[in-house]
Amino acid sequence: MSLADISGPACPACVAGPLAAERGRPAAAADEIQLAVPGVHCAACISTIERGLMRRDGVADARVNLTLRRVRVRHHGRETPESLTEALKGLGYEAMPLDMIALSATEADRASRDLLMRLGVAFFAMMNVMLLSVAVWSGAEDATRDVFHWVSAAIALPTVAFAGQPFFRSAWASLRAGRLGMDVPISLALILACGMSLSETAMSGEHAYFDAAVMLTFFLLGGRYLDHRTRAVARSAAQELAALEVRRALRLAGAGTETVAVADLRPGDRVRVLPGARMPVDGTVEDGASELDRSLLTGESLPARIAAGGAVSAGEVNLTGALTVRVTAAGRDSSLARMADLVAVAESARSRYASLADRAARAYAPLVHTLAAAALVGWFWVTGELRTALNIASAVLIITCPCALGLAVPAVVTAASGRLFRRGLLIKDGTALERLAEVDTVVFDKTGTLTLGTPRPVNLDELPEGALPVAAALAAGSAHPLARAVATAAEERGVVPALLTGVKEVAGHGVDGLFDGVPVRLGRADWVGASAGARTSTWLRIGTSAPVEIAFADRPRPGAADLVQRLTETRRSVMLLSGDVAPAVRDFADSLGLADWRAGLRPEEKAAIVEALVAEGRRVLMVGDGLNDTAALAAATVSISPASALDAARVASDIVLLGEGLAPVGEALGLARVARRRILENFWISGAYNVVAIPLALMGVVTPLIAAAAMSLSSITVTLNALRLRP
Amino acid sequence: MNVLIVLIPVSLGLGLLGLAGFLWTLKARQFDDPEGDASRILQDDWDDRPAP
């Protein structure tokens, strides 16, 4: 199925580094363990995992949940999260214990089941009351009608009292906060419809609105459930991305090292950071020399050199040599945690955004309440009968009840986020689509966002004869990204590496060895004996001949050029903000046809530029991946980050791009516009029904039949309109 | 119209039966994993005792 698209190279499992085997508390019951398995995506995966786990003696039952990408294992008390993680790794799936998020996950499950149960009860009641109502509409009279009304009341009143609780609770909460949300008119209409119908039934009246009350409850609960479901799936996926980054560190203790969780490190501890690992903490280097990839923090694409005494920050990647680092700040004080605080502040600012539904409710609630009050006063004035006036006022409230309005947004958002999820975009925030639709300015980060952050050699063809096999052989001896790029490129060209002896890596400098007795070196310019240029490059020297330069350029993400072109064509302004040096940024911007770029920016400058744009009234989409983008991501109207981004950046952004290519971003912009149009259309549709029904209600000619017809027709039209969504 | 005295409870009873069935499916966690259920039907391994 098409979900397979997104579980390609950039699926969360592959982004993950070494995984946690942390001892977890059993999640739900004593003999039950839940594990997140982000890599599972098809029927065959389900069979492999379930059968593989069931074969273990200690396992009583294993069940995969594909929607949430989890496996729930019941066992005979002998299994531990570690043993199961190990077993799953043997089956080819990365897994991690869910104990830290299991609590919130089970709560979400419970809420979802609770809503579904209320929905079922409301459906049962609606069908039965409707059957009885059909009899009344088709002319049941006198005692029969009264009996039918009483039976309806006996079904409807408990149903509304039970199934309507989510609305009553949220209405009460918003009233106490002094706001008029959508739930206040809903609750009022429900209560009035029931109360009025009950008193009419007691007086053998003609009209009872029990059917309308239960139908309203059912449709609105349907909208609520859709909304909840979409959010639960997005939340669980986002939590897994975060859980994949459970990070550990090697702490030096006594003679050896021990593996500890990053959270347990204290200032003053000494940790060992191996080549290829990410810095777990802020600290100073005590021993060793290496190079650091700071691109996630600063946007610089060139690795920076580090030796004893230098300062490192959490999030940097150690490239060539092992380092011993003395911790200066860990946990809540580290730069990563400070960034998370910054994100929390930004998110509280973000919640000030009024969604379309809120704006509709704000215009709508006072209007219907005024109309109903006017009907009450007007009819009492004219007829002098309180009963008639009350009946008509309640009819106005019932007929205007925002049944379709309650479905208008969730139906569209569910359809759109499902479609985008299949294309590899995870919508984390309910209003992100609406905000995305309004975007007129797109701001990109360079390294890791528009580019893949992996360099490629560009001048291999210009190398002298015989140089490439030597370079390839030397490069194979290092984990440095530039060396890896040379090795990969040589392999792609079918170059057979030369036979070298005594190859060794000199941390922070390069690799050297002997080729037919001649010393050869591949590494930094000053080490090889050349003078460094402006470009990202490594140098190769064979014997005593002059060093040759191998230059590198970062590769754009697939679809980057198309995306920029598409954005320009749709007359959105596109801007490139990078922390990298000017020449690199200029070359890259030229290659994509981007005129508006700034280089050498610090994180606060990026955020300031984005804030200035927003203050100008522009709707800014920020796409970025690094720590240096986090503040800008939070300041923008709406933000996207790739799954390879740093945790903090992903938390700050509204949408996560799961795949490697950038093409889905363009599609998302298009789809968001369509979705917004559908939402507005839905508002107009439900408004149109009201325009027809309100005058009838005010004139006092609305019957329960008209109310029921208007309500179900408008709800169904709105849902169908939402399903019409096409990018 | 006296037949209504029988018919209304019967129709309500049938409805309640359906509701009870739905609540049972809910309790048996049949709505927890719609995507997985859609895929499971495509599994081609033979199983004498299918998992509930």
Side-chain angles (χ1 to χ4, degrees), chain A residues 428-521:
Chain A
K428 279 171 51 196
D429 188 291
T431 60
L433 272 175
E434 295 173 17
R435 287 182 271 136
L436 194 60
E438 299 175 347
V439 163
D440 53 20
T441 307
V442 184
V443 177
F444 287 105
D445 165 50
K446 183 177 82 78
T447 320
T449 305
L450 276 180
T451 71
L452 283 170
T454 49
R456 266 169 91 87
V458 287
N459 63 341
L460 289 186
D461 293 327
E462 297 155 24
L463 293 185
E465 188 81 16
L468 191 51
V470 177
L474 283 169
S478 169
H480 193 283
L482 295 186
R484 291 249 292 272
V486 170
T488 317
E491 197 182 312
E492 275 167 16
R493 284 155 185 261
V495 172
V496 182
L499 217 55
L500 303 188
T501 50
V503 176
K504 65 176 194 302
E505 180 161 19
V506 183
H509 295 289
V511 193
D512 65 2
L514 290 173
F515 173 55
D516 281 346
V518 180
V520 289
R521 270 184 175 186

Side-chain angles (χ1 to χ4, degrees), chain A residues 220-279:
Chain A
L220 288 169
L221 275 175
R224 220 32 80 91
Y225 178 67
L226 282 183
D227 198 36
H228 185 86
R229 184 102 224 164
T230 322
R231 271 172 214 219
V233 171
R235 200 184 311 121
S236 109
Q239 278 170 337
E240 268 153 35
L241 280 176
L244 279 166
E245 279 201 4
V246 174
R247 290 177 309 137
R248 22 218 48 249
L250 288 172
R251 180 162 63 188
L252 295 174
T257 59
E258 54 178 355
T259 306
V260 294
V262 171
D264 293 338
L265 289 174
R266 296 282 167 268
D269 284 349
R270 292 179 337 144
V271 293
R272 190 132 182 91
V273 184
L274 299 175
R278 191 166 278 180
M279 287 294 162

Side-chain angles (χ1 to χ4, degrees), chain A residues 323-492:
Chain A
L323 294 173
T324 304
V325 176
R326 182 169 290 281
V327 180
T328 55
R332 295 234 44 85
D333 304 322
S334 75
S335 44
L336 272 176
R338 285 202 304 275
M339 201 54 81
D341 292 346
L342 200 148
V343 169
V345 171
E347 296 216 314
S348 67
R350 180 74 63 68
S351 65
R352 273 185 272 126
Y353 172 82
S355 69
L356 286 173
D358 284 346
R359 273 184 264 170
R362 214 174 288 161
Y364 169 90
L367 183 72
V368 296
H369 291 161
T370 320
L371 272 177
L376 180 70
V377 173
W379 278 88
F380 188 61
W381 185 274
V382 175
T383 62
E385 271 183 75
L386 191 61
R387 183 178 160 193
T388 321
L390 265 177
N391 269 350
I392 288 170
S394 328
V396 170
L397 267 184
I398 294 167
I399 204 104
T400 54
C401 196
C403 189
L405 278 185
L407 275 171
V409 179
V412 176
V413 170
T414 306
S417 31
R419 202 173 282 271
L420 286 176
F421 188 64
R422 281 196 286 278
R423 299 290 302 141
L425 278 172
L426 182 67
I427 313 282
K428 279 171 51 196
D429 188 291
T431 60
L433 272 175
E434 295 173 17
R435 287 182 271 136
L436 194 60
E438 299 175 347
V439 163
D440 53 20
T441 307
V442 184
V443 177
F444 287 105
D445 165 50
K446 183 177 82 78
T447 320
T449 305
L450 276 180
T451 71
L452 283 170
T454 49
R456 266 169 91 87
V458 287
N459 63 341
L460 289 186
D461 293 327
E462 297 155 24
L463 293 185
E465 188 81 16
L468 191 51
V470 177
L474 283 169
S478 169
H480 193 283
L482 295 186
R484 291 249 292 272
V486 170
T488 317
E491 197 182 312
E492 275 167 16

Side-chain angles (χ1 to χ4, degrees), chain A residues 158-172:
Chain A
T159 305
V160 171
F162 170 71
Q165 273 172 23
F167 308 112
F168 300 145
R169 237 178 273 139
S170 123
W172 179 239

Side-chain angles (χ1 to χ4, degrees), chain A residues 81-99:
Chain A
E82 299 92 277
S83 67
L84 291 174
T85 312
E86 214 37 57
L88 280 166
K89 200 175 246 169
L91 294 170
Y93 293 91
E94 298 283 11
M96 77 238 50
L98 268 181
D99 50 297

Side-chain angles (χ1 to χ4, degrees), chain A residues 3 50 63-67, chain B residues 15 26 29 33 35 40 52:
Chain A
L3 268 176
E50 287 184 353
R63 178 91 180 163
V64 172
N65 185 325
L66 188 62
T67 316
Chain B
L26 199 61
R29 301 176 166 270
D33 184 16
E35 238 172 69
R40 270 169 209 279

